[in-house]
Amino acid sequence: MEKYLCIHGHFYQPPRENPWLEEIEIQPTAAPYHDWNEKIAAECYAPNSASRIIDSKNQILKIINNYQKLSFNFGPSLLSWLKKYSAETYSRIIEADRLSQKERSGHGNAIAQGYNHIIMPLASKRDQKTQVIWAIKDFEYHFQRKPEGMWLPETAVNMEVLQTLSEQGIKFTILAPHQARRIRKIGAEEWMDTGQGNIDPTLAYKCFLRDGYSIVIFFYDAPISFSIAFDRVLESGDYFVQRIMKGFNDGRVWPQILNLATDGESYGHHFKFGEMALTYALDYIERNNIAKLTNYGEYLEKYPPKFQVEIFENTSWSCAHGIQRWRANCGCNSGRYYGWNQHWRQPLREGLDRLKSSLDELFEREGGRYLADPWAARDAYIEVILNRARENVEQFLARHQRRPLEADEKVQVLKLLEMQRCGLLMFTSCGWFFDDISGIETVQILKYAARAIQLAREVGGAPEIEKALLDKLAEAKSNICEMGTGADIFRKQVLPSQVDFRRVLTHYAISSLYEDWGQQQDIYTYRLIKEDFEKREANSSHLAIGKVIASSQITWETHHAAFVVFHPAGLDLRSYLLITDAAKENIPSEEFKQNLLAYFARSDIEGVNRIITENFGSNYLSLGELFLEERIKITSLISKHILKHFTDTYRSLYLEHYRMMDYLREVEVPIPKGFLVAAEYFLYDEFINQLKNLATPADEASRNKLSSIMEQAEHWQVKLSTQEVGLLIRQQLENRFRLLAKDPAADDLATIRYLFAIAEKLQLSMNLWQMQNFFSAILQNYPELLRGGNVSSSKLSNERIEELRQLGRLLKFNMG
């Protein structure tokens, strides 16, 4: 009988965005990467989109897109992040699904995932429905087709959850074997007990539900899946193949599907180079006809279920106690911290449940004033989340409004819907999964709770809902004494992340000293339109004064504001704001502005401070009160402005005196340290600037300039082999290979070879991954490069073919 292999990867990261900014802020634990999404994308998601098969000499034989061979799901927030910040990886994922449809009888490899990874059995029926609808719509937005299957977060399930999936058109899901209770042949009366995971995982099973609904369940092979996730199977492609082959049994008399399921992050993040073991195994199995690679949809079409199954209620793949891991101290944890407990899980769950009830009551009451059906509007709100263009939002409101809405009423509706979105996001499962309430995952869900509370307050919610949450969180004690309770964490780590119009306007005002804002500027989810602006600089002092209209792109709330920013020197930087809803109010007056500019022109610091406080008051926001991400950005801008003076000074010092430095060295007289410092600063800065501005293609003069700087740096023992230089050279090479992939006849090979020579001379370790991907595209379009010799039929000259073959060897391709 035929053998089929389906390996499923559950690719997921929890939502990490600051709920007020819709961007991920710096996460120090992910260093040297900006955040954990970026880190895991570099280690797993990108490598799986272009994975290598290598020979015994570590030369590349093939580059394969694993997503074209795998069944997979991506969490919606992660997929949106990839689209924005790792566009090439995202494109390969989408393309893999498109190509897999051609290879798998019209069935794509991608399936959907419960929207924000909540534990579905712990959610209300209404919330389950929204989660599934949002997941389906998000999937359709990215993959341009309807999903056949859906991955349940943590495979947490009960019959009501399966009912919800089926009602929304989902055909199948994937569970762990121990979640099956009993099976029988469809139409038979006698049941067979399958407790303790005693179910054959090489079949599809049908689960009958109420009202004529049903859903197919695939139960993955637990022993092999466990080996992939927790043993060292992925250290060797050959060992992985052997382990897979043990899952087949020639004694089975049906077309068996060996289906495996793990976190997708196993392939590259949890196990370095795990994606290469996966690639090797899939290629080997397919090439040697050991089994046919398939996905669940294709197998289901060919071999409909002959058995029906009943499941155990309220179970999951990651908690031995059902779903207690997400509401109690059940004993499930990472095992890393001896003596810790998770008693905090229960009050966290109870506190958020209580908050959710208050939010739902408020939404139904206030939403009913504006919306024909508030809950139907919430189900459809995914259309807005995916496309916040004003025209699209207006159309959404027109479809769901009870009556024509005024501008301020539209703001109320959008706040109510965003409150509901945050109310769902605060139940993301990772908030309970790990070991302590102070973990970044739990802090993140509390940020969503804080944002929901803020919005509730703005639409007329009772002020005591925050106190009710804090009272519960006070019962949730951290295992780390200095962290205190959940209430302490909420006050110290969550509330400081809050953003309002004052903070956004402060950022705009302070940045305006060093950035050339246009007439319209977007800052995260806020849009600022300049009405009036003047900027002055005198000596080391800076001043800016202006008027702007600021609006939220999420809720459409809008304010008019006037600001003054005064920066006398250093980091003593003060931003004064007046916020008003009166568009034509004369604030600040023209007289005030002219007087202020006059004081500043005379360097009358006392006069500047006096007139500002007389008109704007004495309260101001300083640099230290901004949110971290922007504080770093602005201090960098200020530092850059200050350092420019040092750069000019060192440049003059070196260029005017390098001959004297040579003479002192020649007569063996110690060179003053100041001269050496000037040489080091100037030559390094000059080298960086030359690298950044290297033209495409670079002329010989540019290359000679770089060589000259390197000779001088070597002469004065200036270190150029830094991480910054390595990154710049890599970026320059990647840009050139990107162009070369489009036109292999492009005349830039000399610069490419030169940049490699610089890297070698400076002994820089170079990440070739992206360059190899571009070169692989050339090989696909010009296979004659692998043959070499005289190729009369090629569009490329024989000389160019040989040059590209040499480049391939440099990139560690097997060009034989």
Side-chain angles (χ1 to χ4, degrees):
M1 295 300 290
E2 287 191 88
K3 297 175 183 177
Y4 292 87
L5 174 64
C6 177
I7 299 180
H8 183 81
H10 166 51
F11 295 93
Y12 164 73
Q13 291 300 306
R16 304 183 189 279
E17 289 79 7
N18 179 312
W20 292 270
L21 305 176
E22 294 298 319
E23 291 286 349
I24 302 176
E25 297 180 285
I26 287 176
Q27 295 179 311
T29 55
Y33 296 95
H34 176 274
D35 54 73
W36 279 96
N37 278 18
E38 186 178 280
K39 176 180 173 65
I40 300 173
E43 295 173 350
C44 175
Y45 309 134
N48 273 289
S49 73
S51 184
R52 277 71 170 140
I53 294 179
I54 56 176
D55 62 15
S56 59
K57 296 180 181 179
N58 286 331
Q59 294 178 321
I60 297 171
L61 294 170
K62 293 181 183 179
I63 294 182
I64 292 175
N65 185 340
N66 282 344
Y67 301 114
Q68 197 173 332
K69 308 292 184 181
L70 284 175
S71 167
F72 64 87
N73 70 271
F74 270 86
S77 61
L78 173 59
L79 199 57
S80 293
W81 182 91
L82 287 169
K83 182 179 182 181
K84 186 173 183 180
Y85 292 105
S86 188
E88 288 180 359
T89 301
Y90 173 84
S91 295
R92 293 189 191 113
I93 292 167
I94 303 302
E95 177 68 2
D97 180 71
R98 188 185 68 80
L99 293 173
S100 69
Q101 293 175 62
K102 296 180 179 179
E103 298 168 355
R104 306 281 183 260
S105 312
H107 302 275
N109 285 345
I111 67 172
Q113 177 211 283
Y115 186 73
N116 68 276
H117 216 268
I118 70 171
I119 300 304
M120 293 284 275
L122 293 177
S124 67
K125 176 67 175 180
R126 191 162 53 202
D127 287 352
Q128 288 179 14
K129 179 183 176 185
T130 300
Q131 285 282 320
V132 175
I133 289 173
W134 285 13
I136 290 171
K137 292 295 184 184
D138 187 272
F139 184 93
E140 292 172 353
Y141 173 79
H142 291 288
F143 293 100
Q144 299 297 301
R145 65 177 179 86
K146 290 186 178 298
E148 294 183 88
M150 184 173 292
W151 179 268
L152 289 171
E154 304 296 338
T155 74
V157 71
N158 59 20
M159 291 297 284
E160 194 59 54
V161 170
L162 294 179
Q163 183 77 26
T164 304
L165 293 182
S166 184
E167 287 171 352
Q168 298 304 321
I170 297 299
K171 296 178 182 178
F172 67 83
T173 191
I174 308 154
L175 298 180
H178 70 261
Q179 295 178 273
R181 179 177 170 229
R182 59 182 185 172
I183 63 169
R184 67 181 176 187
K185 201 157 190 176
I186 294 175
E189 293 186 3
E190 187 177 348
W191 288 94
M192 292 176 283
D193 179 65
T194 57
Q196 306 300 315
N198 187 29
I199 188 171
D200 193 312
T202 64
L203 288 166
Y205 298 87
K206 195 167 189 176
C207 184
F208 291 96
L209 307 165
R210 69 173 185 270
D211 302 328
Y213 287 97
S214 65
I215 191 167
V216 173
I217 302 175
F218 290 90
F219 295 92
Y220 62 80
D221 185 297
I224 301 178
S225 298
F226 184 90
S227 295
I228 295 170
F230 299 105
D231 293 339
R232 299 193 173 276
V233 169
L234 296 178
E235 287 187 354
S236 163
D238 286 319
Y239 182 35
F240 192 14
V241 170
Q242 294 171 20
R243 192 71 184 88
I244 289 172
M245 289 175 67
K246 289 179 181 178
F248 293 108
N249 186 334
D250 290 335
R252 294 186 177 113
V253 294
W254 57 85
Q256 54 189 300
I257 176 172
L258 175 62
N259 81 100
L260 313 174
T262 68
D263 286 337
E265 290 75 21
S266 296
Y267 306 112
H269 173 56
H270 297 156
F271 297 99
K272 191 173 183 180
F273 303 126
E275 81 285 354
M276 293 174 65
L278 173 65
T279 306
Y280 176 87
L282 292 173
D283 182 71
Y284 183 92
I285 287 169
E286 191 171 35
R287 191 159 34 86
N288 290 281
N289 296 316
I290 295 170
K292 184 182 185 305
L293 301 187
T294 189
N295 58 40
Y296 296 109
E298 181 185 44
Y299 182 86
L300 184 57
E301 180 187 345
K302 290 183 176 181
Y303 308 106
K306 295 182 178 179
F307 287 83
Q308 75 175 92
V309 65
E310 286 186 357
I311 63 166
F312 286 110
E313 293 277 36
N314 299 323
T315 58
S316 68
W317 77 341
S318 51
C319 178
H321 315 90
I323 54 174
Q324 293 299 95
R325 187 169 192 156
W326 297 277
R327 61 181 175 185
N329 181 37
C330 67
C332 289
N333 54 56
S334 71
R336 293 175 58 193
Y337 304 100
Y338 178 76
W340 281 22
N341 67 70
Q342 286 74 48
H343 288 299
W344 53 270
R345 288 175 178 163
Q346 182 175 342
L348 176 63
R349 172 66 63 175
E350 291 174 352
L352 292 181
D353 279 343
R354 182 185 298 176
L355 172 60
K356 184 66 165 57
S357 295
S358 298
L359 297 176
D360 288 353
E361 182 182 332
L362 174 64
F363 179 71
E364 197 161 53
R365 185 184 71 241
E366 293 299 313
R369 297 172 55 193
Y370 312 112
L371 298 167
D373 182 342
W375 298 111
R378 187 185 74 168
D379 288 341
Y381 185 55
I382 185 65
E383 300 166 13
V384 172
I385 295 170
L386 293 170
N387 178 10
R388 294 191 184 274
R390 198 169 188 95
E391 181 182 4
N392 183 59
V393 181
E394 289 282 14
Q395 291 171 357
F396 166 83
L397 291 171
R399 286 193 298 271
H400 294 280
Q401 63 191 8
R402 179 180 290 276
R403 53 176 172 74
L405 300 176
E406 300 295 332
D408 60 332
E409 292 176 321
K410 292 176 182 178
V411 171
Q412 288 290 93
V413 169
L414 293 174
K415 285 185 176 182
L416 284 163
L417 288 164
E418 192 62 17
M419 176 191 76
Q420 275 294 313
R421 184 176 79 97
C422 291
L424 291 171
L425 290 171
M426 71 187 183
F427 286 104
T428 302
S429 67
C430 301
W432 287 266
F433 188 87
F434 296 100
D435 296 340
D436 195 68
I437 193 170
S438 63
I440 58 173
E441 295 84 4
T442 313
V443 171
Q444 179 68 25
I445 66 169
L446 290 175
K447 288 180 180 179
Y448 286 120
R451 176 58 173 154
I453 290 169
Q454 183 188 53
L455 289 165
R457 192 180 298 124
E458 292 174 2
V459 296
E464 59 267 17
I465 60 174
E466 181 174 321
K467 181 181 182 303
L469 175 62
L470 288 173
D471 287 345
K472 261 298 168 189
L473 291 178
E475 300 174 18
K477 295 181 180 179
S478 170
N479 291 285
I480 304 169
C481 293
E482 54 266 31
M483 292 295 179
T485 68
D488 297 317
I489 291 166
F490 191 87
R491 294 186 183 99
K492 294 174 184 176
Q493 297 188 46
V494 174
L495 292 181
S497 299
Q498 285 189 333
V499 176
D500 57 14
F501 276 90
R502 290 190 66 82
R503 295 185 73 177
V504 174
L505 286 162
T506 297
H507 166 61
Y508 178 87
I510 291 175
S511 324
S512 70
L513 288 175
Y514 302 99
E515 301 237 40
D516 294 324
W517 295 132
Q519 185 64 27
Q520 177 179 293
Q521 181 64 42
D522 288 343
I523 298 176
Y524 293 118
T525 57
Y526 296 85
R527 176 161 293 170
L528 294 100
I529 298 174
K530 189 188 299 181
E531 291 189 299
D532 185 32
F533 180 75
E534 296 220 27
K535 179 165 62 176
R536 295 287 189 275
E537 180 178 352
N539 300 321
S540 60
S541 297
H542 300 78
L543 177 76
I545 180 171
K547 294 171 68 174
V548 293
I549 302 171
S551 60
S552 166
Q553 298 293 88
I554 305 293
T555 67
W556 292 6
E557 182 178 359
T558 301
H559 293 284
H560 293 74
F563 66 85
V564 173
V565 186
F566 182 39
H567 182 196
L571 294 176
D572 179 16
L573 198 153
R574 305 176 181 187
S575 173
Y576 298 83
L577 298 170
L578 285 177
I579 300 178
T580 174
D581 292 325
K584 296 182 179 179
E585 191 170 336
N586 189 25
I587 298 175
S589 67
E590 186 63 27
E591 180 183 2
F592 160 77
K593 186 169 76 171
Q594 295 306 321
N595 288 338
L596 175 63
L597 295 175
Y599 281 122
F600 183 78
R602 297 196 298 269
S603 298
D604 184 350
I605 304 300
E606 184 180 340
V608 168
N609 282 321
R610 185 178 65 254
I611 192 172
I612 291 175
T613 54
E614 286 174 356
N615 286 267
F616 280 74
S618 57
N619 294 326
Y620 61 86
L621 289 173
S622 65
L623 198 58
E625 294 170 86
L626 298 182
F627 29 92
L628 177 62
E629 191 89 4
E630 298 311 313
R631 195 185 319 152
I632 293 170
K633 181 179 178 181
I634 293 168
T635 51
S636 175
L637 288 170
I638 294 171
S639 300
K640 186 177 180 181
H641 188 82
I642 294 170
L643 286 173
K644 186 178 183 302
H645 298 294
F646 285 97
T647 303
D648 294 342
T649 301
Y650 283 134
R651 175 188 296 271
S652 299
L653 188 61
Y654 177 76
L655 292 177
E656 291 174 13
H657 300 290
Y658 75 91
R659 294 187 185 279
M660 185 177 75
M661 291 167 63
D662 266 336
Y663 175 74
L664 292 175
R665 182 169 180 166
E666 185 180 333
V667 298
E668 299 182 349
V669 172
I671 301 172
K673 189 174 181 180
F675 285 158
L676 292 173
V677 170
E680 180 177 5
Y681 196 96
F682 165 70
L683 290 172
Y684 184 80
D685 186 69
E686 189 73 359
F687 190 67
I688 290 292
N689 287 333
Q690 285 294 321
L691 274 177
K692 284 181 178 177
N693 299 314
L694 199 60
T696 304
D699 55 27
E700 188 175 354
S702 299
R703 298 197 294 271
N704 289 341
K705 177 67 173 175
L706 277 169
S707 296
S708 173
I709 296 170
M710 290 174 66
E711 289 172 7
Q712 293 176 67
E714 187 175 5
H715 183 67
W716 298 113
Q717 297 181 328
V718 174
K719 182 182 178 182
L720 297 178
S721 55
T722 66
Q723 188 177 20
E724 182 183 20
V725 168
L727 180 61
L728 276 173
I729 292 175
R730 194 187 89 194
Q731 290 171 343
Q732 286 284 358
L733 282 167
E734 287 175 354
N735 289 336
R736 282 163 167 74
F737 272 101
R738 181 180 284 106
L739 296 174
L740 197 63
K742 295 177 181 178
D743 179 13
D747 188 23
D748 205 20
L749 293 188
T751 307
I752 289 174
R753 289 193 293 267
Y754 179 72
L755 288 167
F756 272 117
I758 291 178
E760 184 179 8
K761 182 176 179 62
L762 297 179
Q763 297 182 326
L764 294 168
S765 177
M766 194 63 54
N767 184 335
L768 303 175
W769 187 80
Q770 189 65 274
M771 298 173 233
Q772 291 168 342
N773 292 341
F774 291 131
F775 193 79
S776 177
I778 298 174
L779 291 178
Q780 289 176 24
N781 293 323
Y782 296 88
E784 59 266 30
L785 295 182
L786 294 172
R787 296 195 296 270
N790 292 325
V791 183
S792 58
S793 61
S794 177
K795 296 178 182 178
L796 301 173
S797 68
N798 287 325
E799 181 183 1
R800 176 48 60 105
I801 287 175
E802 186 52 39
E803 287 176 331
L804 289 172
R805 283 175 57 80
Q806 291 175 12
L807 205 56
R809 295 187 190 101
L810 200 60
L811 290 172
K812 301 183 180 179
F813 277 84
N814 182 326
M815 299 301 293

